Structures are given as C-alpha cells and as structure tokens.
Amino acid sequence: MSERVEYVDAGDVLIPKLGLGTWQNTGESCTETVRTALDRGYRHVDTAEAYDNQAAVGEGIARSDVYRDEVFLTTKVWRSNLRHQDVLDSVHESLDELGVEYVDLLLIHWPHPRVPVEETLDAMAELRESGAVEHVGVSNFTRSQLQTARQVADVPVVADQVLYHPYKDQSNLQRYCAGNDVALTAYSPLARGEVLSDAVLERIGERHDRSAAQVALRWLVQQENVVAIPKSSSREHLEENLAVFEFSLTDAEMARISDHGGPLGVRLRNRLPSLVRHLPL
Ligand SMILES: NC(=O)c1ccc[n+]([C@@H]2O[C@H](COP(=O)([O-])OP(=O)(O)OC[C@H]3O[C@@H](n4cnc5c(N)ncnc54)[C@H](OP(=O)(O)O)[C@@H]3O)[C@@H](O)[C@H]2O)c1
C-alpha cells in the first residue's frame, strides 16, 4: 500500500481513493505517465478496452518499480461486447494486451438497452471464479440501474464509475454507494479542465495555498466512498493531484462547493435535456 493515498473500503476490497485516468493518453506518452505516476505513489490506474492504450498501460506498470500486486488496475468491457461469450473473449484479449494475469476491477463501460445486465454479470462472475478478474463493477449506471445490477449479480458489485465533479450533482448516488459498500468513482473529476479557473474553487484554494484543481479533487475524495481518477500526462500535475491527501476542506467549504453548481453557462446547460445539451449553441 502506498503511504501517499487513502482507500475506500468497498466491502471486500480496498480501492485507492485517487487513481490515474488514461483516456486519450496512448503510446509512449501513456507508458511513461503510468510509470511516473506509480513511482511517485499512485497505486490505481484506470483504462478500458475502448481507450486503445491497454498495451501502453501494461508496459508502464512493467517499467515501474512497483510490484504488480500493489497496483489496483481497472479495465472496462465495451458495450458491443456485453454478451456472455463476448465478455469472456474481450477480457482475455485485454489481459493479453495489458500483459497481466488478472485485473483488479472489471467494469461494464456503459449499460446496454438490449443486453440483460444479468447475462454480462454472469460472465464477469465466471471470470472472477477463474481468477482473471478480482472484482466486478459498473460504469455510467444510474442509482436504479446499480440497484438492479446488485440484485441480479452473484458477486458483489464494488464500484460505479460515473461523471462527477463540482458542476455535476451525484449526491443521491453517493449516499446510496456509501450506504451499500460501493465505491463511487468520479470520472472527469476536473470537468475535463472546466473547473481549473473557477473563482469559487480558486478562492477556497488560496486559503489552503492550493490550486482550484486540488480543491475540486479534495472535495471529491473527502466524501465517503468517493474515488477520483483525474487524467494527467504532466509530471507536475500528477504530483499536484496526489497531494490532495495533504490538506482538508472545512465543512463550510465542502457545502459551498456542493451548492456551487458552476458558472451560469454550465448551470443553464445542465438544465437542458441531454439532446439539446450536445448541440453547438
Ligand atoms: N467510464 C467512463 O465512461 C469514462 C468517461 C470519461 C473518462 N473516464 C476516465 O476518467 C479519467 C479522467 O477524466 P477525463 O480524462 O475526461 O478528464 P479530467 O481528469 O477531468 O481532466 C483532464 C484534464 O485536466 C488536466 N489536468 C489534470 N490535472 C491537472 C492539474 N492539477 N492542473 C491543471 N490541469 C490538470 C489534464 O491536462 P494534463 O494532461 O496536461 O495534466 C487534462 O487536460 C479518464 O482519463 C478515464 O480514465 C471514464
């Protein structure tokens, strides 16, 4: 275990509260980022079949000074592979690409409207039984989809990875996860860069001598059962993001960020139906 990170207790597994996101980081840049992150104290790496970087991630783990069994490695099965046999085949392909014998966590990347979640989870349980996968979870599942998954699964569903940052309310899902030994993993925790110059976060950061990015990440990891997986390919940002365990926010600061909702433009956009939200207004 790394001394630099804290952990979420998700029932039968401890998950490092800060992980490295790798979406859109490929090739040598990805390998070197993973290696650097692990050598600096990260113990959790997030990838996916769909990111086209599993070989690079695996190479980064191999190049680092950290033993494989000290790394919490997550991958995800894409929505075109959610039928029983496709799950088995695609996960074995992922393991080959990663160059590892198992992943710590396998997630269903997105729910599928036509493939019953039970079928996918059955295959994932089989992979767990065989040792190819240590734990299973879901991603982009609403609270009610997560409840259904937990009801039909023969194994614990230990995580739901969803969009979560200061402009995106997930308090309902967070309460449910905290009450049920499920980790809520926040993806795009920096709103893909949108929060970096936020005035409220900057003001709070000034009191602690921290950046807006650190305040956003701290707000997430300070919540019960919440894990954050910021992506960074910069050495300086990797270090900055890991330092979120070195300070804490007051209850008033936590509440201020929870009530924030973001700048007016973001608040308006979040109120629009999703189809309209994606039009270039
Ligand atoms: N399950 C899903 O469907 C799903 C969807 C999206 C993402 N994800 C996962 O979540 C991860 C993170 O989300 P994301 O990549 O969308 O966005 P993000 O982590 O919110 O933002 C990444 C951006 O923030 C910058 N950044 C990182 N740390 C910073 C710092 N301390 N100061 C200033 N800038 C900083 C990065 O630039 P630099 O590289 O220059 O630092 C990058 O441009 C992904 O990589 C992926 O693993 C999962």
Side-chain angles (χ1 to χ4, degrees):
M1 278 173 129
S2 168
E3 286 170 6
R4 296 199 64 189
V5 286
E6 292 173 8
Y7 292 77
V8 165
D9 184 350
D12 61 349
V13 57
L14 292 177
I15 303 179
K17 262 184 166 275
L18 194 89
L20 174 69
T22 66
W23 181 37
Q24 294 178 323
N25 195 0
T26 55
E28 185 59 19
S29 153
C30 179
T31 296
E32 271 308 295
T33 304
V34 170
R35 185 189 66 77
T36 306
L38 293 175
D39 287 345
R40 284 177 173 250
Y42 282 72
R43 289 296 180 268
H44 177 173
V45 181
D46 181 81
T47 182
E49 175 183 16
Y51 295 174
D52 199 20
N53 67 4
Q54 292 182 115
V57 166
E59 178 60 23
I61 295 172
R63 267 189 217 173
S64 81
D65 292 331
V66 179
Y67 291 118
R68 163 69 190 97
D69 63 3
E70 288 179 32
V71 182
F72 189 88
L73 176 61
T74 300
T75 196
K76 317 181 190 84
V77 58
W78 187 239
R79 60 196 321 184
S80 53
N81 285 328
L82 296 182
R83 290 286 179 195
H84 192 104
Q85 190 58 45
D86 295 335
V87 175
L88 305 184
D89 292 345
S90 80
V91 169
H92 284 294
E93 235 171 82
S94 288
L95 294 180
D96 281 350
E97 284 181 27
L98 284 160
V100 296
E101 286 176 6
Y102 68 94
V103 288
D104 297 84
L105 180 61
L106 176 69
L107 304 178
I108 300 176
H109 205 144
W110 283 89
H112 197 292
R114 286 179 304 281
V115 181
V117 70
E118 198 168 358
E119 177 176 342
T120 309
L121 287 166
D122 274 354
M124 290 164 77
E126 205 174 304
L127 287 162
R128 191 173 181 262
E129 185 67 33
S130 73
V133 160
E134 290 258 303
H135 302 282
V136 308
V138 296
S139 177
N140 296 297
F141 276 44
T142 62
R143 176 181 164 148
S144 85
Q145 288 168 326
L146 173 61
Q147 272 173 311
T148 304
R150 291 182 67 240
Q151 275 158 12
V152 301
D154 289 334
V155 292
V157 175
V158 304
D160 189 0
Q161 185 180 123
V162 295
L163 179 69
Y164 192 22
H165 52 65
Y167 303 160
K168 173 75 185 168
D169 180 22
Q170 291 284 14
S171 48
N172 188 15
L173 182 63
Q174 185 271 330
R175 275 193 299 275
Y176 176 81
C177 288
N180 290 284
D181 284 341
V182 179
L184 189 170
T185 304
Y187 77 64
S188 304
L190 302 172
R192 315 213 65 215
E194 269 193 275
V195 303
L196 297 176
S197 52
D198 183 283
V200 172
L201 301 179
E202 277 180 344
R203 237 182 355 260
I204 293 174
E206 273 164 27
R207 290 186 212 142
H208 299 273
D209 201 15
R210 301 286 169 175
S211 68
Q214 287 176 310
V215 172
L217 295 175
R218 179 68 213 181
W219 174 75
L220 288 165
V221 300
Q222 199 165 311
Q223 295 172 48
E224 201 181 349
N225 281 44
V226 175
V227 172
I229 50 166
K231 174 259 171 190
S232 179
S233 44
S234 136
R235 197 173 273 262
E236 186 193 335
H237 293 162
L238 287 174
E239 190 58 46
E240 200 179 311
N241 297 347
L242 196 57
V244 294
F245 300 108
E246 295 169 8
F247 75 106
S248 53
L249 298 171
T250 64
D251 290 347
E253 288 166 342
M254 289 293 288
R256 175 72 186 93
I257 300 168
S258 300
D259 292 341
H260 181 20
L264 183 63
V266 173
R267 291 206 303 275
L268 287 173
R269 198 177 65 206
N270 283 343
R271 294 178 79 96
L272 296 171
S274 70
L275 187 64
V276 182
R277 222 182 290 149
H278 291 102
L279 292 175
L281 295 174

